[in-house]
Amino acid sequence: MSDRICKFYEVLVGLEIHIQLATRSKMFTAAPNAFGQPPNSLVDPQVLGLPGVLPVMNKRAVEYSIKVGLALGCQIAPFTKWDRKSYYYPDLPKNYQISQYDLPLCSSGTFDIPDDDGSTKTIRIRRAHLEEDAGKLIHEAPGGHPIDYTIVDLNRAGTPLLEIVTEPDFTTPRQVTTFAQELQKIVQYLGVSEGQMQMGHMRFEPNINLHVTDQTGVVHRTAITEIKNLNSFSVLEKATAYEIQRQLHQWLETGALGQKSTYGWDDAREITVHQRDKEEANDYRYFPDPDLVPVIVDDTWLAELKRQIGELPAARRKRYVESVGLSPVDAATLAADRHTGDLFDQSVAAGAAPKRVATLLLSHGRRLANESGKPLAQLNLKPNRIAELANLIDQNKIAPAEPAGKVLERLLQQDAPAEQIASELGLLQSSDTSAIEAAIEALIAQNPKPLQDYKSGKQAAFGALVGMVMKQAKGLNPKLVQERLKQKLG
Amino acid sequence: MPDPRISLEQVRHVAKLARLELTDDQIRKFTPQLESILQYVAKIAEVDVTGVEPMAHALPIHNVFREDIPGPSLPLDEVLKNAPETDGPFFKVPKVIGADEDSAR
């Protein structure tokens, strides 16, 4: 019978994230970086670690990493270098991985995520460093047949991998998933990774331990366990939640704090499974790679990368709500991906009212995107044409509902002034007062009956009169017709 | 000055990390040899490096980059040429034990 009672416990979760960068070539060699290619078809002498090969840094991979670092509020190291992490494993032909040990490219960041109670939770980023990925070990034959050996595909070996390590600031599994999802949005927004979970572009490894306070006030700290290679948001959340409970119950039932170790997730049984106790860090015998020279990031380079990043989603959402006056929902929709936000900003910059442009894009634009199965920003709509259409609506030259939608639809195929298209489609409303006057005069002359009805007090006849004017002379601005008619009859 | 003496245990450990199978006789033979190498190298510790920045590279150059342009891959028969064993387009290796799919990243 257990005499241990948990008065309360604190959850400490940190997250390690590996992100595959979407460069075209590998990290230290020109072999292509691609997904879904035939086994061992993206391999050159450098990937094989053949004698005499030398690594050369991929500039874009360094820039992508700095961009992610900046987005996570990190300090970017003005001076950084490469280290060899030595270990023998069949997915690593060189027998060492080029990584960054004591001088990571990015460090000391903070990133805010929304918490479930509506408050903001700040997660500290310890570091983000660049390294090369290993190849893939396969334990069953293609088609799923069991084999009593392991086969190796080196297509992934040597591709650029960004490792991000947070401080143990998460206190709930939900926060961990929220952070992971926000990070996915950021890497996609920056265009540095496709961030497709099912393709393994992002892999998560939560490290978890508890501070359990017992009935006498003594704090028991469970050993940190790491769950390896989780690549879906739901599994990340489930595995974290499970491991918290496993550690708590292990302590409650046996009093054991456990050993620092690595766990895996068994998806079928939905439990974490012990894999191995951790090797000491110094077993990797890190030392500076003599084949690679250091990287110096100066202010000019950093400023250029900041310029390329532009405005991040969170800042853009904030600006759309606070300065442009959009609703939070509309702001979030427009700022969700970079290209839609850019299209909105450029249309407004072309000289149209922001709210009108937002409405156009979120109503007709979104409908057209759904119909064509393409993202809004890929519909090939030109910002200046969107602005023209928005202005036509604001000038009462076209009705905002169906007619404006038709013009936008035509703009997908034809790049011509919106007014010209509206005119070709017969959708322009005339605001020509003399034409309206003439139409009203003609109406009065031809239809004395509804006019008398209206004058004798039948307000309902007014709508009929407007309809008659509109019918007689198509394309008149209904608002102006109403105004003029009222004046005339008044 | 660092102690250049090493134990049999340390040699056994380093051999294991290097995936070398050494007999006890070999360990006893190599330990004094490694010790004398360390003794020789330890001489460098006599240099006073107070106020000297650690050096990351012997050459005073930095930022040697390659543009991100894909180059050719080797044909498959070249890729697998030095492999002791293959299975179709794959390298074949002894079964890697454990559920962990990839190496310790």
Side-chain angles (χ1 to χ4, degrees), chain B residues 59-104:
Chain B
L59 299 174
I61 49 176
H62 60 269
N63 293 12
V64 178
F65 290 117
R66 185 173 56 74
E67 290 304 318
D68 183 28
I69 299 164
S73 310
L74 287 173
L76 187 63
D77 58 330
E78 290 283 325
V79 170
L80 300 176
K81 207 169 191 171
N82 292 316
E85 279 192 279
T86 59
D87 180 12
F90 296 100
F91 296 89
K92 181 177 170 182
V93 298
K95 191 161 188 68
V96 178
I97 319 265
D100 196 3
E101 187 200 332
D102 307 306
S103 63

Side-chain angles (χ1 to χ4, degrees), chain A residues 23-27 29-30 32 39-43 45 48 56-60 62 79 81 85 87-91 133-134 136-138 142 147-152 154 156 203 228-229 275-276 283-285 290 292-296 301, chain B residues 13-20 54-82 85-105:
Chain A
T23 55
R24 299 174 62 215
S25 63
K26 293 195 176 183
M27 182 62 234
T29 186
N40 291 308
S41 65
L42 311 174
V43 177
L48 287 169
V56 188
M57 290 179 268
N58 183 335
K59 187 175 187 188
R60 200 193 305 259
V62 175
F79 179 95
K81 65 177 172 70
K85 179 180 179 179
Y87 63 94
Y88 286 82
Y89 217 66
D91 59 8
D133 207 344
K136 210 168 173 53
L137 297 177
I138 304 160
I147 48 177
D148 62 355
Y149 49 91
T150 297
I151 52 178
V152 188
L154 293 179
R156 200 180 61 188
R203 304 189 291 266
K228 299 290 279 185
N229 269 330
Q275 286 180 341
R276 57 166 188 243
D283 271 6
Y284 291 123
R285 292 149 294 149
L292 286 160
V293 296
V295 178
I296 291 178
W301 192 12
Chain B
H13 178 66
V14 170
K16 189 189 164 203
L17 290 178
R19 304 291 184 266
L20 294 174
M55 188 176 67
H57 200 273
L59 299 174
I61 49 176
H62 60 269
N63 293 12
V64 178
F65 290 117
R66 185 173 56 74
E67 290 304 318
D68 183 28
I69 299 164
S73 310
L74 287 173
L76 187 63
D77 58 330
E78 290 283 325
V79 170
L80 300 176
K81 207 169 191 171
N82 292 316
E85 279 192 279
T86 59
D87 180 12
F90 296 100
F91 296 89
K92 181 177 170 182
V93 298
K95 191 161 188 68
V96 178
I97 319 265
D100 196 3
E101 187 200 332
D102 307 306
S103 63
R105 273 168 310 177

Side-chain angles (χ1 to χ4, degrees), chain A residues 102-411:
Chain A
D102 55 341
L103 293 174
L105 196 51
C106 318
S107 60
S108 312
T110 54
F111 189 69
D112 289 344
I113 53 166
D115 206 348
D116 272 349
D117 61 3
S119 66
T120 296
K121 171 85 185 170
T122 298
I123 304 299
R124 290 169 300 155
I125 311 295
R126 184 179 297 169
R127 58 183 282 162
H129 73 256
L130 189 51
E131 59 189 25
E132 52 177 351
D133 207 344
K136 210 168 173 53
L137 297 177
I138 304 160
H139 307 288
E140 54 184 30
H145 308 294
I147 48 177
D148 62 355
Y149 49 91
T150 297
I151 52 178
V152 188
D153 176 6
L154 293 179
N155 280 353
R156 200 180 61 188
T159 58
L161 195 63
L162 181 65
E163 178 178 323
I164 301 168
V165 183
T166 78
E167 298 291 344
D169 289 344
F170 301 98
T171 54
T172 69
R174 182 86 203 107
Q175 288 172 358
V176 177
T177 323
T178 304
F179 178 88
Q181 285 165 331
E182 291 289 317
L183 187 61
Q184 181 193 39
K185 279 187 212 156
I186 282 191
V187 297
Q188 289 175 339
Y189 193 89
L190 293 172
V192 305
S193 174
E194 291 171 47
Q196 297 296 324
M197 309 288 290
Q198 69 277 15
M199 293 188 189
H201 293 156
M202 295 177 86
R203 304 189 291 266
F204 300 94
E205 282 159 16
N207 51 76
I208 299 159
N209 80 320
L210 309 177
H211 290 182
V212 186
T213 303
D214 69 15
Q215 67 273 31
T216 63
V218 175
V219 179
H220 305 264
R221 295 164 190 228
T222 60
I224 298 171
T225 59
E226 185 181 63
I227 314 173
K228 299 290 279 185
N229 269 330
L230 305 176
N231 60 2
S232 94
F233 296 128
S234 67
V235 164
L236 175 62
E237 191 163 331
K238 272 192 277 189
T240 306
Y242 182 89
E243 183 60 18
I244 291 168
Q245 290 306 312
R246 192 197 62 76
Q247 290 188 11
L248 181 65
H249 285 99
Q250 177 181 273
W251 179 81
L252 280 172
E253 284 153 30
T254 69
L257 297 173
Q259 272 202 318
K260 195 171 176 183
S261 51
T262 300
Y263 276 71
W265 176 249
D266 183 330
D267 207 28
R269 292 189 288 163
E270 301 212 321
I271 60 169
T272 54
V273 186
H274 180 266
Q275 286 180 341
R276 57 166 188 243
D277 293 334
K278 278 220 140 184
E279 286 183 77
E280 289 164 46
N282 59 13
D283 271 6
Y284 291 123
R285 292 149 294 149
Y286 282 99
F287 69 96
D289 192 321
D291 289 343
L292 286 160
V293 296
V295 178
I296 291 178
V297 184
D298 62 16
D299 291 346
T300 317
W301 192 12
L302 206 53
E304 168 58 20
L305 293 174
K306 278 183 187 161
R307 191 193 62 75
Q308 287 176 19
I309 292 175
E311 195 179 27
L312 288 161
R316 196 170 226 174
R317 279 198 300 268
K318 197 164 172 243
R319 176 168 63 85
Y320 285 172
V321 173
E322 289 175 6
S323 326
V324 183
L326 301 183
S327 74
V329 174
D330 286 357
T333 312
L334 288 172
D337 84 283
R338 177 181 211 127
H339 301 292
T340 306
D342 287 349
L343 184 65
F344 171 75
D345 283 343
Q346 286 161 9
S347 305
V348 173
K355 280 191 182 168
R356 179 64 70 194
V357 172
T359 312
L360 248 185
L361 291 178
L362 294 173
S363 57
H364 300 307
R366 203 139 57 153
R367 175 177 57 80
L368 293 172
N370 286 341
E371 283 169 11
S372 69
K374 274 194 272 186
L376 176 57
Q378 278 176 32
L379 290 179
N380 203 24
L381 288 168
K382 305 263 191 323
N384 58 327
R385 301 305 182 207
I386 293 171
E388 286 169 8
L389 182 56
N391 286 330
L392 287 181
I393 299 170
D394 279 341
Q395 292 157 10
N396 283 321
K397 287 184 177 168
I398 188 165
E402 210 188 321
K406 283 185 174 157
V407 173
L408 200 67
E409 192 169 354
R410 177 62 71 87
L411 279 168

